[in-house]
Every structure is written in structure tokens, then in C-alpha cells.
Amino acid sequence: MRAQASLEYLFMLAGMFVLVLATLFAYNNGVLPHTIETGEQVNVLQLQNDAQYIVVQLKANELWEELKSKTVTLTISDGKTTCTVDKTSYTGTYPEVIEYSTDGKTLEKIYNDCMDGNAGACEVIICSLGAG
């Protein structure tokens, strides 16, 4: 009876050891970091999709040509970002702090940065033009 219990205990320890090794192997080969990176890429793609939809709607209404040369001012307060398109009525609030500098950049440049994969630029487009 003791031998069987010892043998079961030994197999249980061996199984745990194999599980730990498999987890370390997966992490070191980039499976977990790759999964995290993929999630971030999906978020950027969703932001790009939202920004592109807004710009397509503006183009359809013949407003983009007038707006694309405008600049955007960001104001951060209480963990939120207010985006104001200068010299227009377009303004909006984003529920988070946007990590992107709009200094000297036109909406067209910001949109191009968004399409190049900059999530902050996409957030600026969504914040400033999404409510309009």
C-alpha cells in the first residue's frame, strides 16, 4: 500500500514539474508575450477602424477638405482628454488621457499617423471629430 501511495505521489510531482517546465518554455518562446502583443494590435486596429469611419463620413459630407488642415488642442483634466479642433465647433472628450502630441500637426497628419499604427493619433481623431 505504501509503495502504491509513494508511486502516485512521485507521478504527481513529476506531472507538476512537467507543467512548470512547459509553462516556462512557452513563456520564453514568446507565446505569452505574443498573445499580449496581438491583443494590443487588435486594439489599434479597432481604433484605426473607428477613425477611418469618421473620416469617410466627413468626406461623404464634403467636410474633410475643410477640416484636414485644422489643428487640434488637447486639454487634460481629471484623467480625461478634451479635444478641440481649432476655429471650428468640433470638440469632444475622451475618457482617458491621450498619449499623443498634436503640437503643430494638422488633422490630416494626425489621421496619417493613426493609419500608420499610432493609437494616440487615432484617439485624437475619435475624440475631436467623433461627436460631430
Side-chain angles (χ1 to χ4, degrees):
M1 189 75 165
R2 276 189 189 178
Q4 184 179 357
S6 293
L7 195 55
E8 288 174 357
Y9 183 71
L10 181 64
F11 279 117
M12 186 171 61
L13 284 176
M16 295 286 273
F17 183 71
V18 168
L19 185 62
V20 168
L21 285 178
T23 302
L24 289 173
F25 178 77
Y27 184 78
N28 287 334
N29 280 328
V31 173
L32 295 177
H34 180 69
T35 301
I36 292 168
E37 181 182 324
T38 301
E40 291 170 357
Q41 289 171 344
V42 168
N43 290 340
V44 171
L45 287 173
Q46 181 62 53
L47 289 169
Q48 286 175 317
N49 185 51
D50 293 347
Q52 190 171 37
Y53 178 79
I54 291 166
V55 171
V56 165
Q57 292 298 314
L58 289 168
K59 285 179 179 179
N61 293 318
E62 300 179 3
L63 297 171
W64 179 244
E65 287 302 315
E66 177 187 334
L67 290 171
K68 71 181 184 180
S69 62
K70 304 288 184 184
T71 57
V72 179
T73 303
L74 303 182
T75 308
I76 298 170
S77 177
D78 297 326
K80 298 178 182 179
T81 305
T82 300
C83 308
T84 306
V85 180
D86 298 329
K87 299 177 184 163
T88 71
S89 62
Y90 284 90
T91 187
T93 302
Y94 200 75
E96 301 170 11
V97 173
I98 296 175
E99 300 293 334
Y100 181 80
S101 173
T102 60
D103 292 343
K105 295 179 185 171
T106 64
L107 277 168
E108 184 173 37
K109 170 66 174 140
I110 296 167
Y111 177 73
N112 290 337
D113 286 351
C114 171
M115 292 299 108
D116 288 339
N118 187 312
C122 296
E123 291 169 346
V124 170
I125 295 291
I126 295 165
C127 174
S128 60
L129 300 174

